[in-house]
Amino acid sequence: MAQHLTPELDIRMRRAAFNRALAEGDLAAIGRILAPDAVLVAGTDSALIAGRKAQLLAWKREFAMKDRSIYLRAPETIAVSPVAPIAFEHGSWQGASAQDGTVQASGAYTAKWRRLGGEWVIEAELYLTLA
């Protein structure tokens, strides 16, 4: 990303790119935004998906489903650390049917980002299903 962006704006742009990649089923784009050792804890069953490769495999299975969901994360706050190249993102998420847009699940999430090699990448995401 461009050097003139604030960390918060840069992270918001990376999240928007991640949302686009999920909607388009673009595994390569998703992979560029995940840290190699990224961790995801799912909302309903608290399934742990550890590592970029495992997450890409899970997304590949999701994208192949007949009535797959399209997941959207909407950041509400981003707190950037003043002492390390890390940040926390808090927001709401939803999964909607790709066929008809019906919202199937939604809730809250937190993501931890780290700046590596000049790019912000997701290190961890934790989801809570509320509906």
PDB file of all heavy atoms in Angstrom, residues 2 68 73 103 127:
ATOM      1  N   ALA A   2       0.299   2.340  -0.390  1.00  0.00           N
ATOM      2  CA  ALA A   2       1.048   3.591  -0.483  1.00  0.00           C
ATOM      3  C   ALA A   2       1.515   4.038   0.901  1.00  0.00           C
ATOM      4  O   ALA A   2       0.830   3.849   1.896  1.00  0.00           O
ATOM      5  CB  ALA A   2       0.173   4.668  -1.124  1.00  0.00           C
ATOM      6  N   ARG A  68     -23.222 -21.375  -1.407  1.00  0.00           N
ATOM      7  CA  ARG A  68     -22.209 -20.858  -0.491  1.00  0.00           C
ATOM      8  C   ARG A  68     -22.637 -19.526   0.105  1.00  0.00           C
ATOM      9  O   ARG A  68     -23.495 -18.828  -0.437  1.00  0.00           O
ATOM     10  CB  ARG A  68     -20.872 -20.728  -1.199  1.00  0.00           C
ATOM     11  CG  ARG A  68     -20.724 -19.497  -2.086  1.00  0.00           C
ATOM     12  CD  ARG A  68     -19.290 -19.456  -2.600  1.00  0.00           C
ATOM     13  NE  ARG A  68     -18.985 -18.262  -3.363  1.00  0.00           N
ATOM     14  CZ  ARG A  68     -18.390 -17.191  -2.853  1.00  0.00           C
ATOM     15  NH1 ARG A  68     -18.074 -17.141  -1.588  1.00  0.00           N
ATOM     16  NH2 ARG A  68     -18.105 -16.160  -3.633  1.00  0.00           N
ATOM     17  N   ARG A  73     -17.140  -8.478   6.408  1.00  0.00           N
ATOM     18  CA  ARG A  73     -16.723  -7.904   7.688  1.00  0.00           C
ATOM     19  C   ARG A  73     -16.814  -6.387   7.568  1.00  0.00           C
ATOM     20  O   ARG A  73     -16.307  -5.811   6.601  1.00  0.00           O
ATOM     21  CB  ARG A  73     -15.277  -8.275   8.020  1.00  0.00           C
ATOM     22  CG  ARG A  73     -15.099  -9.705   8.500  1.00  0.00           C
ATOM     23  CD  ARG A  73     -14.847 -10.611   7.336  1.00  0.00           C
ATOM     24  NE  ARG A  73     -14.151 -11.816   7.795  1.00  0.00           N
ATOM     25  CZ  ARG A  73     -14.477 -13.036   7.410  1.00  0.00           C
ATOM     26  NH1 ARG A  73     -15.449 -13.244   6.562  1.00  0.00           N
ATOM     27  NH2 ARG A  73     -13.824 -14.069   7.871  1.00  0.00           N
ATOM     28  N   VAL A 103     -29.502 -13.229   4.662  1.00  0.00           N
ATOM     29  CA  VAL A 103     -28.500 -13.302   5.726  1.00  0.00           C
ATOM     30  C   VAL A 103     -28.729 -14.592   6.507  1.00  0.00           C
ATOM     31  O   VAL A 103     -29.820 -14.847   6.996  1.00  0.00           O
ATOM     32  CB  VAL A 103     -28.567 -12.070   6.650  1.00  0.00           C
ATOM     33  CG1 VAL A 103     -27.597 -12.230   7.825  1.00  0.00           C
ATOM     34  CG2 VAL A 103     -28.252 -10.801   5.864  1.00  0.00           C
ATOM     35  N   TYR A 127     -14.376 -14.741  16.044  1.00  0.00           N
ATOM     36  CA  TYR A 127     -15.761 -14.435  15.674  1.00  0.00           C
ATOM     37  C   TYR A 127     -16.736 -14.874  16.754  1.00  0.00           C
ATOM     38  O   TYR A 127     -16.548 -15.908  17.394  1.00  0.00           O
ATOM     39  CB  TYR A 127     -16.126 -15.113  14.338  1.00  0.00           C
ATOM     40  CG  TYR A 127     -15.379 -14.472  13.210  1.00  0.00           C
ATOM     41  CD1 TYR A 127     -14.113 -14.910  12.857  1.00  0.00           C
ATOM     42  CD2 TYR A 127     -15.907 -13.389  12.537  1.00  0.00           C
ATOM     43  CE1 TYR A 127     -13.400 -14.289  11.849  1.00  0.00           C
ATOM     44  CE2 TYR A 127     -15.198 -12.755  11.546  1.00  0.00           C
ATOM     45  CZ  TYR A 127     -13.944 -13.218  11.196  1.00  0.00           C
ATOM     46  OH  TYR A 127     -13.252 -12.587  10.204  1.00  0.00           O
TER      47      TYR A 127
END
